[in-house]
Amino acid sequence: MKTRTGFADVLVGMQYGDEGKAKIVDRIAGDYDIVARFNGGANAGHTVQTPQGQARLAQIPSGVFHPGLSLYIGSGCVVNLTKLADEIASLRDAGARIDGRLYVNERCAVIQPMHLDFDARHGAGIGTTGNGIGPCYADLALRWHRGMRSVVQVRDLVADDAGAFEQMLRYAAQFDDAPAARAATADRVARMRAAWRTLRETIVVTDALWLTHRVKAGARVLFEGAQSVMLDVAGGEQPYVTSSHTAPAFAFVGGDLSNRYHRKTIGVAKAIVSRVGEGPFPTEFGGERSARYCADAALRGTGWREERDRFDAASMLASEDDFDMGIALRMLTGEYGTGSGRPRRLGYLDLAALASAVERHAVDELYLNKCDCLSWFAKTHAGEIPVLGIALSEGGRSVPAIRRFTAFEALPRNVHRPEDLPGALQALLQAVEQATSCRIAGIGLGPGRNQLLTLSEGDGAHDA
Ligand code: IMP
């Protein structure tokens, strides 16, 4: 009997990252056999709630707490060996089984000590996460530098790990040959060696056809994007972007599968938008002032503790100054970096940008997270929820225009049906569907695993 061929869905963030993708992946992972990453590396910060508490993921796909699933890291990803080994250890402590089910493509580029140094020195100007992501992808594209290979791939470690680590030491020395720098690199490489020894016993290194064979045998794949479409290295606003392609189409390059198997694209957005790092953010509360304040906080390493000690969120929320209100909203909605703890810049929903991203990437269904957080607007000075929409000007041109929705008080407990949602929230959701011409599959009503309300069922496949 012929086996039914599998398929691949792609899930991506629609704004500037941190939209709560992991929560959605965790919720729908039961419908798949493999959760796969296709871009990025330890710069991602995914948080999932588990029965044992909160777990933070950086490189491991968010399906890790579903024991029956295989996990795949595609060749479009860059791997930080030390952090990956640490992540595996802490997930084991949290009760997850990793051995034998984490597959890593042999062509993934490995983050080298030089990449971390370079990012630490130069990345702050655009607010990178400091994980060496940009320099690593740059060296992958560079291929060759001063008579030696600029990249180390996982397969180089498999073939000759001693040689690969030696290459990293020599490569770093080309940029900084001072004794202190050499010692720091040697120390990093020693830790990487130890990490690689552990990883060799845990991960399964695969070739270019592994995923194809699984899909041909019937596997259902969920590609999980890291960062978000607005941070795409080419499609986003240079230089304020990450260094990989975050667009869903790239899942079929960085994820090592033909696009023939694509079924549908799922977009995840947040009802109150956040951005970390520098870059344009048209709907930011407090505009430039907020951007400067958050950049400064990131440099000084101040985060939620300092804000909690310094500010009174309840009174600032009612302030007529959007900058103050933004700080209060951040405190009340917990918008701080997963790994770094740095304050995220906050802004209201930009429907014009969302609609454009949905159209550009042919998104089939949307999830809108953090809808519960909108109730804080009831305690703001204006008592309304602002949304940046699109209106027609007198000349018939589409122009951005702010729409205001009546704020609603806290949601009723245990909302099980869309009809139980406050009318104002239902109206806002309708406006999102109208502006994007895309159905909302579900909304986030709290951080918990079960605080996700399904609004419409169906596989949403555009060709189904
Ligand atoms: P990099 O990816 O570390 O090079 O950082 C480049 C930009 O992408 C910076 O503005 C980062 O804050 C942003 N970025 C990278 N990863 C994430 C993420 O997981 N969530 C949100 N922003 C991110």
Side-chain angles (χ1 to χ4, degrees):
M1 201 174 76
K2 194 174 178 304
T3 324
R4 201 166 168 220
T5 305
F7 58 80
D9 291 345
V10 190
L11 178 142
V12 287
M14 300 303 291
Q15 291 149 336
Y16 304 101
D18 307 310
E19 296 93 347
K21 296 180 280 291
K23 178 189 164 102
I24 308 301
V25 173
D26 189 48
R27 172 66 169 253
I28 63 179
D31 297 338
Y32 298 91
D33 304 298
I34 302 172
V35 178
R37 290 274 302 266
F38 60 88
N39 74 307
N43 52 344
H46 296 157
T47 311
V48 279
Q49 306 291 331
T50 75
Q52 285 77 27
Q54 214 177 55
R56 284 173 180 177
L57 305 165
Q59 299 183 83
I60 296 189
S62 306
V64 63
F65 287 98
H66 295 256
L69 283 176
S70 298
L71 309 168
Y72 182 64
I73 298 181
S75 65
C77 300
V78 290
V79 178
N80 181 318
L81 301 176
T82 322
K83 287 199 170 176
L84 183 58
D86 288 349
E87 193 174 336
I88 289 172
S90 66
L91 284 171
R92 275 197 188 120
D93 290 347
R97 183 183 61 78
I98 312 283
D99 296 59
R101 71 178 182 116
L102 176 60
Y103 297 82
V104 180
N105 188 286
E106 62 181 0
R107 285 170 201 268
C108 291
V110 177
I111 300 278
Q112 302 181 43
M114 176 273 177
H115 301 144
L116 297 167
D117 291 341
F118 194 94
D119 204 16
R121 248 179 254 160
H122 305 289
I126 55 166
T128 69
T129 63
N131 279 289
I133 304 295
C136 187
Y137 279 114
D139 271 347
L140 178 68
L142 185 62
R143 299 153 295 170
W144 191 256
H145 185 77
R146 294 193 200 161
M148 66 183 291
R149 280 185 68 201
S150 49
V151 70
V152 170
Q153 290 173 299
V154 167
R155 62 180 177 173
D156 298 317
L157 290 167
V158 173
D160 172 16
D161 53 359
F165 288 122
E166 182 56 34
Q167 181 184 322
M168 290 187 200
L169 288 166
R170 281 194 292 124
Y171 193 55
Q174 289 197 357
F175 298 90
D176 195 344
D177 203 16
R182 275 182 177 265
T185 306
D187 182 51
R188 277 207 174 118
V189 167
R191 277 185 280 135
M192 289 171 74
R193 274 203 184 94
W196 176 240
R197 273 198 295 276
T198 322
L199 290 174
R200 283 184 77 160
E201 286 162 17
T202 315
I203 65 172
V204 185
V205 178
T206 63
D207 65 14
L209 284 172
W210 180 80
L211 198 56
T212 306
H213 289 157
R214 288 285 304 260
V215 172
K216 278 183 143 177
R220 300 158 300 166
V221 179
L222 178 63
F223 281 120
E224 170 191 29
Q227 293 81 47
S228 115
V229 297
M230 291 179 74
L231 295 178
D232 186 278
V233 62
E237 289 296 326
Q238 277 274 352
Y240 306 109
V241 291
T242 190
S243 297
S244 63
H245 287 291
T246 55
F250 189 72
F252 296 92
V253 179
D256 316 299
L257 186 70
S258 163
N259 59 355
R260 162 184 297 184
Y261 302 108
H262 180 230
R263 188 181 67 150
K264 68 174 171 177
T265 301
I266 304 164
V268 184
K270 209 157 51 169
I272 299 178
V273 187
S274 71
R275 174 163 199 161
V276 282
E278 309 279 312
F281 189 1
T283 62
E284 183 166 9
F285 296 119
E288 262 302 299
R289 222 172 122 204
S290 159
R292 272 200 310 277
Y293 167 89
C294 290
D296 190 47
L299 276 181
R300 291 187 208 198
T302 55
W304 69 269
R305 266 194 202 87
E306 289 74 13
E307 291 203 330
R308 185 200 54 193
D309 293 346
R310 230 177 110 193
F311 303 122
D312 172 31
S315 64
M316 280 173 85
L317 189 62
S319 165
E320 284 181 45
D321 185 342
D322 272 3
F323 173 72
D324 289 348
M325 189 193 74
I327 292 180
L329 268 181
R330 172 166 53 247
M331 294 169 70
L332 295 164
T333 61
E335 288 287 358
Y336 298 88
T338 313
S340 61
R342 57 181 168 163
R344 294 177 181 153
R345 300 158 64 193
L346 278 200
Y348 51 98
L349 183 60
D350 186 341
L351 264 189
L354 182 62
S356 154
V358 165
E359 187 175 17
R360 161 74 183 85
H361 300 290
V363 171
D364 296 291
E365 61 189 46
L366 278 173
Y367 284 87
L368 192 65
N369 271 325
K370 287 205 138 176
C371 285
D372 54 313
C373 294
L374 292 172
S375 66
W376 289 115
F377 282 105
K379 298 193 168 59
T380 59
H381 170 71
E384 291 170 328
I385 306 169
V387 167
L388 187 64
I390 313 157
L392 282 185
S393 70
E394 278 185 13
R397 280 190 320 118
S398 299
V399 288
I402 296 189
R403 280 184 68 180
R404 296 179 190 282
F405 292 82
T406 319
F408 52 89
E409 295 290 336
L411 294 169
R413 272 172 173 269
N414 301 326
V415 178
H416 294 300
R417 301 171 313 162
E419 308 84 270
D420 300 335
L421 293 170
L425 180 53
Q426 291 187 36
L428 193 149
L429 296 173
Q430 251 175 26
V432 174
E433 287 193 329
Q434 250 170 25
T436 58
S437 307
C438 186
R439 74 188 176 91
I440 300 181
I443 58 171
L445 296 176
R449 245 182 157 181
N450 296 321
Q451 290 176 294
L452 186 77
L453 181 67
T454 305
L455 295 189
S456 57
E457 301 281 358
D459 73 13
H462 45 70
D463 58 354

